Structure formats: C-alpha cells, structure tokens
Amino acid sequence: MSTPDYHLEEELRAQGFLRIAGVDEVGRGPIAGPVTAAAVILDPAAIPEGLNDSKKLTARRRDALEQSLRACAEVAVAHASVEEIDEINILRASHLAMERAVAALDPPPDYLLIDGNLIPRDLTLPARAVIKGDAISVSISAASIIAKTCRDRLMVDLAQQYPGYGWETNAGYPSVSHKNALRNLGITPHHRRSFRPVHNILYQDKSVSD
C-alpha cells in the first residue's frame, strides 16, 4: 500500500511555489464538539518520517508526530464552533475552519494543497483540491495529524466538564454509548442540534411537551 510523499510539493516548487501548505480538517462526523482544521508548511529538508493519514496511525504515533511537526514545520490550527455548524451546515463550517487555519499562517503560504474535492470558497490563494490527499501528500497528512490530535485533546477537556458521554474516547462521534448517554443525560451546549441523533431527541422532547 502506498504512503504519502512529497511529489506534489516538488512539482509545485519547480513552478516557483515555495511556501506550500497542506490543509485538512477533522470532525465532520461527530454529533458533539467543533470541527477543527490545520494548515501545515513542511520544511523539505526536515520532513518527519512516518507521516500518514491520521486515521491510519495510533494515538501515540500521532502525538509523537505532532511534537516533531511543531518543532520543524509551520503549523496553524483553527475551529468552527457548534453554533456555526448548526447555522451554516457542517460542510461550510469545515471550510470556514480551513480558511481560518490558512489565515493564521504568517507569512501566508503561496499555494494550498487541500484534502477533498472542493476548495473553500473564500480562499483566494492558488490551491488544488486533492481527493484522499492525506494518503497522497505528506503536507496534507501532516495537517490531518495536527487537526486530529488538537481536536481529540479538546474533546478530552470537554469530557471533564460533561462526564458520561465518553468524549474522551469517542471524540464526540455517535457511538452506541454516546447516543445512550444523550438519551439518559440530555443534550449539552456542545451537541450539534442540526445532527439527526440530537435533532430527533429535541423533536421528541418537544412533541412530548406539546
């Protein structure tokens, strides 16, 4: 099975683009918590070994790679809140988080490699969407690792404030135990009300009260 490499970046560098940022997001599927994006500019002379799609790595390996990336690469992280997700939908919110992460890089990149098949509409920099990019480009895989580790830590912190939902292990995804807790403990301010499992409980509760 192939692993991500630097060939897309090398092609772009040959065209004169030197500050190439990989951009990825994590957290479109959970029913709780924000969506998180990262933008990473790698130093071609100091690329950590073992970069890959964050979902293919153990938590320990992700944490180690995050530390390496923060030591040798330019890294920016941003979020879109639960309120924004419910207001503008998860796709647009994930793009908003990407736009914020890119804007946080200073100086700005001169080219973006973005995971997926769409380029966020408010990005004005030259960019390419790369389907399954975290398995193709090390810059995108680096961004996926940074976004995943940051969001997982955030959900562990939220789990301390709202125990019982298992966010420290399910990261807000709709596991059976999470959905059971939703029914038994109720909806928190960090649940996405536009997502079906949460929306259905709200609707059922309203029907009962009516």
Side-chain angles (χ1 to χ4, degrees), residues 85-162:
I85 292 168
D86 287 339
E87 181 179 351
I88 62 177
N89 78 49
I90 185 59
L91 176 61
R92 179 67 192 119
S94 67
H95 284 184
L96 180 60
M98 287 182 174
E99 292 160 4
R100 288 170 173 165
V102 170
L105 288 172
D106 185 22
D110 51 23
Y111 200 97
L112 307 174
L113 291 171
I114 298 171
D115 185 58
N117 61 353
L118 295 171
I119 296 172
R121 67 190 185 198
D122 290 335
L123 287 176
T124 57
L125 297 167
R128 174 180 171 181
V130 185
I131 296 172
K132 296 184 178 178
D134 45 13
I136 295 172
S137 158
V138 284
S139 296
I140 297 176
S141 62
S144 79
I145 290 165
I146 294 292
K148 172 72 172 163
T149 53
C150 288
R151 188 181 185 280
D152 282 357
R153 262 197 309 275
L154 185 152
M155 294 307 295
V156 169
D157 289 343
L158 289 178
Q160 312 311 308
Q161 303 172 43
Y162 295 89

Side-chain angles (χ1 to χ4, degrees), residues 8-198:
L8 292 180
E9 292 86 342
E10 287 174 340
E11 291 173 5
L12 290 166
R13 290 178 69 84
Q15 298 171 39
F17 298 106
L18 301 181
R19 294 180 53 75
I20 303 158
V23 185
D24 201 1
E25 53 75 27
V26 66
R28 284 175 61 167
I31 59 174
V35 60
T36 300
V40 177
I41 300 176
L42 293 174
D43 177 352
I47 299 175
E49 292 186 9
L51 293 175
N52 207 334
D53 174 358
S54 63
K55 297 183 292 295
K56 297 178 181 178
L57 302 170
T58 65
R60 178 176 293 183
R61 185 65 181 137
R62 285 195 298 267
D63 289 343
L65 284 167
E66 182 203 17
Q67 292 185 27
S68 296
L69 287 165
R70 290 189 178 278
C72 67
E74 296 178 54
V75 173
V77 180
H79 311 276
S81 69
V82 166
E83 292 79 13
E84 288 169 325
I85 292 168
D86 287 339
E87 181 179 351
I88 62 177
N89 78 49
I90 185 59
L91 176 61
R92 179 67 192 119
S94 67
H95 284 184
L96 180 60
M98 287 182 174
E99 292 160 4
R100 288 170 173 165
V102 170
L105 288 172
D106 185 22
D110 51 23
Y111 200 97
L112 307 174
L113 291 171
I114 298 171
D115 185 58
N117 61 353
L118 295 171
I119 296 172
R121 67 190 185 198
D122 290 335
L123 287 176
T124 57
L125 297 167
R128 174 180 171 181
V130 185
I131 296 172
K132 296 184 178 178
D134 45 13
I136 295 172
S137 158
V138 284
S139 296
I140 297 176
S141 62
S144 79
I145 290 165
I146 294 292
K148 172 72 172 163
T149 53
C150 288
R151 188 181 185 280
D152 282 357
R153 262 197 309 275
L154 185 152
M155 294 307 295
V156 169
D157 289 343
L158 289 178
Q160 312 311 308
Q161 303 172 43
Y162 295 89
Y165 297 91
W167 294 342
E168 67 276 12
T169 55
N170 64 43
Y173 282 85
S175 65
V176 172
S177 61
H178 186 182
K179 289 189 286 186
N180 286 339
L182 197 58
R183 297 185 191 96
N184 296 329
L185 301 176
I187 295 166
T188 74
H190 299 285
H191 278 105
R192 301 174 181 179
R193 285 156 169 72
S194 58
F195 277 48
R196 186 175 299 276
V198 184

